[in-house]
Amino acid sequence: MSNKPAAQTIGPWLKNNLGKRCMAGCTSTDVRALHAAVHIAELWLNSDDRPAVAAAFGVIVRQMQEALWYLPYHATAHVGDWGHRYALWHQAGLPDIRVPLCKFGPQPRPAAAA
């Protein structure tokens, strides 16, 4: 594990998991919000007041272009576990979104045979 802050390692981590062009549409505001979001996710994981921190996460994510919201969703796994993505997202009051699969993340379960 790196001693670098998560904001310095999130870009390469996302590109490794989602593809090297995953951040191609990001503006400077999107990048700043992504950096803030990954640090807030890290704080949420270690907080005694998770609802308040989750609310801050939601405010920050909403500063990004909606088409890029999948980046902070996945960034949560960079500082936590894959299951934390959904928990933080919904505690932040963010709507369900379609997200691309991460190369190294959990894959969806196959549909049961009818």
Side-chain angles (χ1 to χ4, degrees):
M1 177 151 201
S2 173
N3 289 331
K4 294 180 181 178
Q8 289 183 2
T9 57
I10 190 58
W13 186 89
L14 286 168
K15 290 174 184 177
N16 190 40
N17 276 283
L18 296 170
K20 55 185 174 174
R21 298 211 21 92
C22 69
M23 295 180 63
C26 288
T27 66
S28 60
T29 298
D30 295 322
V31 172
R32 287 181 179 102
L34 175 62
H35 290 173
V38 74
H39 283 294
I40 292 170
E42 190 172 36
L43 176 62
W44 176 82
L45 289 163
N46 297 290
S47 177
D48 291 333
D49 190 2
R50 281 187 166 186
V53 177
F57 180 85
V59 169
I60 295 301
V61 168
R62 286 183 176 94
Q63 302 308 302
M64 297 178 71
Q65 299 174 69
E66 193 171 336
L68 298 172
W69 284 7
Y70 69 94
L71 295 171
Y73 175 84
H74 285 311
T76 302
H78 177 54
V79 294
D81 292 326
W82 294 105
H84 291 132
R85 298 175 302 170
Y86 183 82
L88 174 54
W89 194 261
H90 286 282
Q91 192 170 42
L94 293 163
D96 289 338
I97 59 171
R98 295 178 62 91
V99 296
L101 294 176
C102 280
K103 184 190 301 186
F104 300 108
Q107 301 302 311
R109 294 184 185 138

